[in-house]
Amino acid sequence: MIVDTNVSLSRWPFRRLSGDETPTLVERLSKQGVSQAWVGSFDAILHRDIGGVNARLMDECQRHGGDILKPFGALNPKLPDWQEDLRRCVEDYNMPGIRLHPNYHQYQLTDPVFAELLHAAAARGVIVQIAVSMEDTRTQHPLVRAPPVDLTALPQLVKREPAAKLELLNWWPALRRQSLQAFVDAGAVYFDISTVEGIEGTARLMDRLPAERVVFGSNFPLFSFDAALLKMQESGLAEDRKKMLLEGNAKRILPGATR
Amino acid sequence: MEVLVRSADRVGIERLILSQGFSSVPHPTPNILREENDRVMRAVKRFPDRAYGSVFLSPSFPEFSLREFDRCVRDGPMVGVGELEADKRCNSPEHDAIVERAISMKVPILQHTWMKAEGNDPGESTPYDLVELAKRHPEANFICAHTGGEWERGIRIIRDTKNILAEIAGFDPTSGVVEMAVRELGAERVVYGSDVGGRGFASQLAKVVGADIPTAAKELVLGGNLRRLFAPILRAKGYKG
C-alpha cells in the first residue's frame, strides 16, 4: 500500500486536470494502491478566504474521501487572525497537518510570523508541509510568477522548535545543488519525491539523506501520479527501502491518524 | 552508459537516441562538438543493440558542422541530427545547409525549443523559430524538443506545420500535455523523449503512460513514430528498426 503525502483537491487555477473532481481523484488513487493521501487544496494558492478553503476541503474529504483522504488545511500567516484558521484546523476539523505556500502568499521564512506559526503548529502537534514550489518557474503563467521558497533560514528555525515536524514538498528545484544535511541535523524534516529528477534520482536521494527522511509524494493531480511510481521503479530500490518510501516513513510521521 | 541502460531496462525502454555526450556548454567549440560526438559514437559501438547516435552540431561553425555531419552520419554510425541547441536561433540562415544535408540522408532533426517565462537565453530557439525553418524546408522532418516548454502554446504554434513533431521531455511531468498534443496534432505527431541526464526516464515516461489516450496512441508516442521517422536511415545503414 501507498501513503501519498502530496495530493491536492479542487481546481488548479490555470487548467483543468484529470482528477480534479474528488470522486475521480479518490478512484484513481485507490486503483494505484494508495491507502492514504494527505490532501491540501489548490484553492489555497490564490484564494484569500482561507477559512472557506479549509471548510470545503474538510467537506470534500468527509463526503468522498472514505478512509483515504487526510485533509491538510491551508494557513496564510499574512492574513489577519490566521491563528483562528489554525485553531479550526486542529480543534474543529481534527486535521493532522497544515500546508503552507509561502511563495504564493508572499512571505519569507525569515518573517517573524513564520516562526510564530511554526511554534504554534508544533505546540498543537500538527505536521507542517511547505510547498516549496508548485510548478517549473519557466512555465508559470506570466501574471502569476512565484519563485521557489527560499529555505535558507529554515534549519535554524527548526532547531528552535524541537517538537516541530516538517515535510518539504516539491523542493528539488530549490535545493538540488545544496547540502540537505543542515535540514536533517536541525530536526524532523522530511522530503517528498515529487520533483526529484535524474537517473536513479530516488535511490540517490535515499543514499544522500537518512533513508527514513524520504517520503512518497506525487503532486497529483497536477503531476501524473505515475511519475512518482516510475521513479521508484527506475531506481531499482530494494524491498525494504521501497516499503519505507511507500508507507513506512509517512506512517512514522503520522502514526494512527484519524480524521 | 551502463547506468543508463540499467535504468532504461527497469522502465521498459528498448532504445536510446544519444546526443551531445556530457556537454551542457551553450556555445560549444568545434573541439567540444567533435569530442562529444566521439563520446556518443563510442557508447553506440559498445551498446549497438540499445543505442543510436545523433550528431551534435553548431550553426556558428557551418563548414565544420557539415564536415562533422559527413564524418558521423554519412560515413559514420549516426542516424540523426541534434539536439541542435547552440548559439543561434534556428530560423537563422546558417541552419539551412545543415538541414539540406539532413534531407540528403533522410535523417530527422531534433531542435531545442523553449519559451521561458523569465525569457530565453541569447540564441535559444522558440517553436516560432522552428516553424520558420520547417516552412523553408518542407521535405525535412523536425522534432520540436520540449515543445517550447510552455506546451499549451508550443503545440498551437507548430500545429499547422505538418513536418514538425512534438517532443515532450524537459519539463515537469505535468498532467495533460500528451492528451493535448494528441488531440491537437494527432498521435502520429507526438514523440516521447526523456532529456535524460538532466531528467530521468521515469518522470517523462509518466506523461505518456499516465495519459488518458488510447493504447494505440501511446504505442505511437512511445516508439512507433520514431521507428517510422528513422526507418529510411536505419534501412540505409542496415540497422534493425
Side-chain angles (χ1 to χ4, degrees):
Chain A
M1 300 304 278
I2 300 170
V3 177
D4 188 341
T5 65
N6 185 2
V7 174
S8 298
L9 301 188
S10 195
R11 300 282 193 269
W12 176 243
F14 306 103
R15 73 178 68 93
R16 290 300 304 271
L17 302 168
S18 178
D20 66 9
E21 295 282 356
T22 309
T24 313
L25 176 134
V26 170
E27 186 190 335
R28 289 190 169 218
L29 291 174
S30 300
K31 273 188 187 163
Q32 295 275 14
V34 173
S35 57
Q36 191 179 101
W38 301 1
V39 293
S41 172
F42 286 134
D43 294 348
I45 292 169
L46 297 178
H47 289 214
R48 288 173 171 154
D49 177 13
I50 290 295
V53 169
N54 290 336
R56 286 196 302 280
L57 175 67
M58 191 63 202
D59 182 56
E60 286 287 295
C61 289
Q62 282 178 331
R63 284 198 293 134
H64 306 292
D67 290 329
I68 293 180
L69 303 185
K70 302 293 175 199
F72 276 56
L75 278 194
N76 179 351
K78 299 309 283 184
L79 288 175
D81 199 22
W82 60 266
Q83 294 87 347
E84 172 60 12
D85 292 320
L86 178 61
R87 188 202 65 75
R88 290 181 196 175
C89 287
V90 178
E91 295 178 15
D92 296 351
Y93 304 141
N94 196 23
M95 290 176 174
I98 56 172
R99 188 173 294 178
L100 307 178
H101 295 278
N103 50 350
Y104 287 96
H105 294 167
Q106 296 185 295
Y107 63 92
Q108 300 293 322
L109 302 192
T110 49
D111 190 320
V113 77
F114 175 73
E116 193 186 334
L117 186 160
L118 194 60
H119 179 73
R124 287 180 173 274
V126 291
I127 302 160
V128 176
Q129 293 184 321
I130 299 176
V132 180
S133 64
M134 287 302 289
E135 61 172 341
D136 189 329
T137 53
R138 298 172 301 173
T139 60
Q140 288 178 335
H141 194 286
L143 291 177
V144 186
R145 295 185 55 203
V149 178
D150 182 346
L151 298 165
T152 311
L154 191 62
Q156 284 305 318
L157 291 163
V158 173
K159 268 186 193 168
R160 284 184 225 143
E161 297 293 342
K165 282 184 185 176
L166 283 95
E167 183 188 357
L168 303 180
L169 308 178
N170 317 324
W171 56 273
W172 178 263
L175 292 178
R176 61 186 294 194
R177 290 190 173 87
Q178 290 180 37
S179 166
L180 303 178
Q181 196 58 45
F183 297 90
V184 173
D185 294 343
V189 180
Y190 295 80
F191 299 80
D192 92 329
I193 62 163
S194 62
T195 48
V196 172
E197 280 288 356
I199 282 293
E200 299 182 347
T202 305
R204 284 190 284 114
L205 180 65
M206 292 184 91
D207 290 338
R208 185 178 167 197
L209 287 170
E212 62 271 16
R213 298 295 185 97
V214 185
V215 290
F216 187 90
S218 67
N219 200 15
F220 180 72
L222 181 57
F223 287 4
S224 167
F225 183 87
D226 295 88
L229 279 185
L230 283 165
K231 278 191 267 194
M232 292 181 61
Q233 192 177 321
E234 180 192 286
S235 280
L237 298 174
E239 275 307 309
D240 59 334
R241 286 200 156 193
K242 211 183 284 179
K243 275 186 186 163
M244 289 171 81
L245 183 51
L246 285 176
E247 58 176 347
N249 292 342
K251 284 184 172 170
R252 194 175 297 122
I253 312 172
L254 181 56
T258 52
R259 259 191 301 148
Chain B
M1 189 63 189
E2 289 81 2
V3 177
L4 280 187
V5 171
R6 182 176 75 196
S7 304
D9 281 341
R10 289 185 185 132
V11 292
I13 291 173
E14 297 168 38
R15 284 273 180 181
L16 311 176
I17 301 174
L18 304 172
S19 74
Q20 295 190 355
F22 296 160
S23 175
S24 56
V25 179
H27 306 292
T29 61
N31 279 343
I32 291 173
L33 294 166
R34 191 184 297 109
E35 187 182 325
E36 297 301 349
N37 287 327
D38 285 344
R39 195 190 309 280
V40 166
M41 288 193 285
R42 284 196 301 273
V44 170
K45 193 174 179 185
R46 199 152 160 229
F47 292 89
D49 296 330
R50 304 303 301 273
Y52 296 128
S54 186
V55 68
F56 186 25
L57 305 173
S58 168
S60 288
F61 305 102
E63 288 306 316
F64 169 82
S65 289
L66 296 181
R67 287 198 305 276
E68 191 68 353
F69 177 96
D70 290 345
R71 181 177 81 94
C72 299
V73 181
R74 190 192 66 190
D75 306 327
M78 291 195 175
V79 298
V81 172
E83 180 178 359
L84 296 182
E85 190 168 2
D87 290 322
K88 289 182 192 295
R89 288 165 59 178
C90 66
N91 58 352
S92 72
E94 288 87 344
H95 280 74
D96 288 331
I98 293 173
V99 174
E100 282 158 18
R101 218 42 150 238
I103 292 168
S104 74
M105 293 286 295
K106 296 185 176 162
V107 299
I109 299 160
L110 177 66
Q111 174 62 51
H112 171 91
T113 66
W114 257 95
M115 294 179 290
K116 295 170 180 160
E118 66 268 33
N120 276 8
D121 297 327
E124 189 170 29
S125 300
T126 70
Y128 287 114
D129 301 326
L130 182 56
V131 165
E132 280 187 44
L133 181 66
K135 284 188 185 303
R136 293 207 300 266
H137 300 280
E139 63 277 50
N141 287 310
F142 295 94
I143 301 169
C144 184
H146 321 305
T147 314
E150 192 202 312
W151 47 271
E152 284 154 315
R153 206 149 56 102
I155 289 167
R156 295 175 68 91
I157 293 166
I158 66 170
R159 184 167 56 189
D160 195 40
T161 309
K162 308 295 185 198
N163 57 332
I164 302 179
L165 282 74
E167 185 270 351
I168 49 118
F171 49 88
D172 289 338
T174 319
S175 299
V177 53
V178 170
E179 288 92 328
M180 180 182 170
V182 167
R183 185 187 76 221
E184 295 298 329
L185 306 176
E188 67 284 353
R189 284 182 63 196
V190 185
V191 299
Y192 164 72
S194 67
D195 214 11
V196 79
R199 302 267 171 183
F201 295 114
S203 64
Q204 310 302 299
L205 193 57
K207 292 174 181 170
V208 188
V209 172
D212 291 328
I213 56 172
T215 303
K218 287 183 186 177
E219 286 170 357
L220 285 174
V221 176
L222 289 174
N225 291 331
L226 286 179
R227 284 196 180 92
R228 185 185 71 243
L229 211 58
F230 281 88
I233 185 70
L234 296 182
R235 264 199 309 272
K237 289 194 175 290
Y239 294 163
K240 285 188 292 182

